[in-house]
Amino acid sequence: MKFNFKKKFGQNFLTDNNVIDIIVGLIPAKENDLIIEVGPGAGALTKKLKKYNANLIAYEIDHDTEDYLLPLQDDKTRIIYDDFLKRDIKNDIKDIKYDTLYIIGNLPYYITTPIITNIINSGLDVKKIVIMIQKEVADRFSARPNSKEYGSITVFLNYFFNIKKELIVSKKKFNPMPNVDSAVISLNRREDLEPTDFDKFNKLVKDSFQFKRKNLRNNLRSYDLDKMEEILESIGFTLNDRAETLTYEDFVFITNEYYDIKI
Ligand code: SAM
């Protein structure tokens, strides 16, 4: 393939057909659904996604891919040349009638977290997200409590999604070859989100993990610690514990108790 790969856009194109088939197969789209692809590159996933005959919108930043992507456009497939992070996605899809929304992407790794945060903050009713990301980032996103990979991003994502690590992909399956292996994860939207005040929950989680090696007493110094201790003890923890011992459900419970949020 003669292509001027750009490091600044995180361009590592997938070359392995089996891997591409597995990733595309994780999207159970039907004709009346909508798939959004982030960073189609030369269309490795896009071409195969077309088999679903679903509505498809792909966002690509690099116009040098036009020779590969523009021929894929038709009445159900649209390529938008722009920075995904700058788009008003709800507005882009407002004229499309669809049953279920899926998002897929072999993501540019330099903006993995902003892309996911953007999707969540945009309030899209996405049912499932299938993304390829750096293996160590996948470990963080899918980490269990009490592991060293577990952090505020894990809790944040687990609030919205059931996260599953689907497969590890060797760096050899890309052109050009990146420095590290990758992993495909799927994020399945939870049907019933635990009711809370999300902004307060999110702040409590971030504060609790502020200094990873410190315990809750140190990280939550700006809170009413007597009240916090009482709440923690009611679920079997103390201020001497670290944030990494708490599940996302624990954080929801603590938020609701601390701020007296009635459910
Ligand atoms: N999907 C292709 C594949 O699997 O072979 C390409 C994946 S490559 C890791 C990431 C792609 O995202 C590149 O084509 C890159 O140009 C594109 N990209 C990078 N930053 C982007 C952004 N902000 N918005 C949209 N696309 C972006």
Side-chain angles (χ1 to χ4, degrees):
M1 178 183 189
K2 255 191 170 243
F3 184 79
N4 173 24
F5 290 99
K6 297 167 199 74
K7 222 176 170 171
K8 68 169 177 177
F9 288 147
Q11 288 178 341
N12 302 98
F13 292 178
L14 252 174
T15 53
D16 187 294
N17 256 312
N18 285 335
V19 174
I20 295 169
D21 284 336
I22 294 171
I23 299 173
V24 168
L26 291 167
I27 297 284
K30 306 252 177 358
E31 279 194 20
N32 291 334
D33 294 337
L34 169 61
I35 306 170
I36 292 178
E37 184 185 357
V38 185
L45 300 172
T46 328
K47 277 183 232 155
K48 302 225 176 188
L49 286 168
K50 284 180 67 115
K51 74 175 179 191
Y52 292 121
N53 202 21
N55 299 288
L56 176 59
I57 296 189
Y59 293 90
E60 172 55 58
I61 202 166
D62 184 5
H63 282 273
D64 284 357
T65 60
E66 282 182 4
D67 286 351
Y68 302 94
L69 294 181
L70 292 185
L72 301 179
Q73 291 203 104
D74 56 32
D75 54 339
K76 291 189 94 176
T77 304
R78 189 174 155 215
I79 312 292
I80 296 180
Y81 273 99
D82 203 354
D83 180 345
F84 178 76
L85 296 177
K86 295 200 174 129
R87 297 300 295 195
D88 178 348
I89 306 160
K90 269 198 163 161
N91 189 51
D92 289 339
I93 65 176
K94 70 175 185 312
D95 294 329
I96 301 175
K97 291 196 175 35
Y98 61 88
D99 292 337
T100 304
L101 171 63
Y102 299 100
I103 299 183
I104 188 168
N106 170 14
L107 296 188
Y109 295 159
Y110 71 109
I111 42 171
T112 299
T113 303
I115 287 173
I116 297 171
T117 313
N118 209 38
I119 292 169
I120 292 175
N121 291 341
S122 66
L124 291 168
D125 54 346
V126 57
K127 174 141 197 209
K128 184 174 186 181
I129 304 175
V130 174
I131 44 173
M132 172 114 71
I133 56 183
Q134 282 183 346
K135 188 181 157 297
E136 71 215 26
V137 179
D139 291 340
R140 244 188 289 143
F141 287 179
S142 57
R144 299 277 164 250
N146 294 309
S147 62
K148 73 174 191 323
E149 291 84 10
Y150 190 74
S152 59
I153 186 78
T154 322
V155 178
F156 174 72
L157 290 178
N158 272 278
Y159 177 76
F160 293 100
F161 301 101
N162 280 309
I163 301 169
K164 187 166 168 219
K165 220 192 279 174
E166 301 283 357
L167 72 151
I168 308 290
V169 182
S170 158
K171 58 188 178 186
K172 295 189 189 123
K173 312 271 180 179
F174 297 87
N175 180 29
M177 190 168 84
N179 294 328
V180 292
D181 290 335
S182 296
V184 176
I185 59 167
S186 59
L187 300 96
N188 295 279
R189 184 86 186 189
R190 290 184 191 278
E191 293 296 331
D192 298 308
L193 296 189
E194 298 273 332
T196 189
D197 176 321
F198 183 73
D199 290 340
K200 290 193 164 79
F201 161 83
N202 201 25
K203 181 170 186 320
L204 176 73
V205 172
K206 284 204 175 123
D207 290 341
S208 300
F209 281 96
Q210 195 187 3
F211 300 106
K212 265 218 96 173
R213 301 181 68 84
K214 295 203 165 170
N215 62 18
L216 291 165
R217 186 188 312 282
N218 284 300
N219 281 337
L220 297 180
R221 235 181 261 183
S222 61
Y223 290 70
D224 175 344
L225 287 182
D226 289 339
K227 190 170 181 184
M228 204 47 97
E229 177 96 78
E230 206 176 296
I231 298 167
L232 284 167
E233 282 179 357
S234 76
I235 48 172
F237 296 95
T238 73
L239 285 169
N240 295 329
D241 289 310
R242 286 191 194 158
E244 71 214 33
T245 57
L246 300 169
T247 63
Y248 89 95
E249 289 102 329
D250 293 330
F251 278 109
V252 170
F253 176 82
I254 297 165
T255 309
N256 290 349
E257 289 292 307
Y258 188 82
Y259 292 102
D260 236 344
I261 299 167
K262 300 270 178 277
I263 308 304

